[in-house]
Amino acid sequence: MGIKVKVNFDKRKLESAIKDQARESLRNRSYDAKCPFCHTTFSAHPGPNVCPHCRKTVDLNLNIKL
Ligand SMILES: [Zn+2]
C-alpha cells in the first residue's frame, strides 16, 4: 500500500525562481565573442568588454529567452 502525498507547488514562484537562477548563471559565465573591429575571438562577459587585441569596447548583449 502506497501513501499518496499531495504537494502543492506555487508553480509561478517556482518558475520565476528557476528563471532567475538561470539568468544569473548565464550572466556569470563567459562567452566566446568575436570582436567586430578586428575579428579576434576572446572570452567575454555580458556587458561592455575591452577587446584584448584592438582595445575597443565590445558590448556583449545577452538575448535571454526563457
Ligand atoms: Zn578587436
Side-chain angles (χ1 to χ4, degrees), residues 1-62:
M1 265 284 256
I3 303 165
K4 275 185 186 161
V5 179
K6 203 172 180 186
V7 182
N8 287 315
F9 281 111
D10 188 337
K11 207 182 164 195
R12 261 196 213 157
K13 228 178 184 176
L14 199 69
E15 253 178 27
S16 80
I18 291 168
K19 284 178 184 177
D20 279 352
Q21 256 203 349
R23 281 198 197 94
E24 200 53 40
S25 65
L26 287 171
R27 257 195 290 266
N28 287 330
R29 57 161 290 193
S30 58
Y31 297 85
D32 282 336
K34 199 174 187 184
C35 174
F37 304 102
C38 67
H39 305 291
T40 297
T41 305
F42 62 100
S43 162
H45 292 275
N49 295 266
V50 177
C51 172
H53 186 75
C54 68
R55 300 274 157 206
K56 287 192 179 182
T57 302
V58 180
D59 250 313
L60 179 65
N61 291 308
L62 272 193

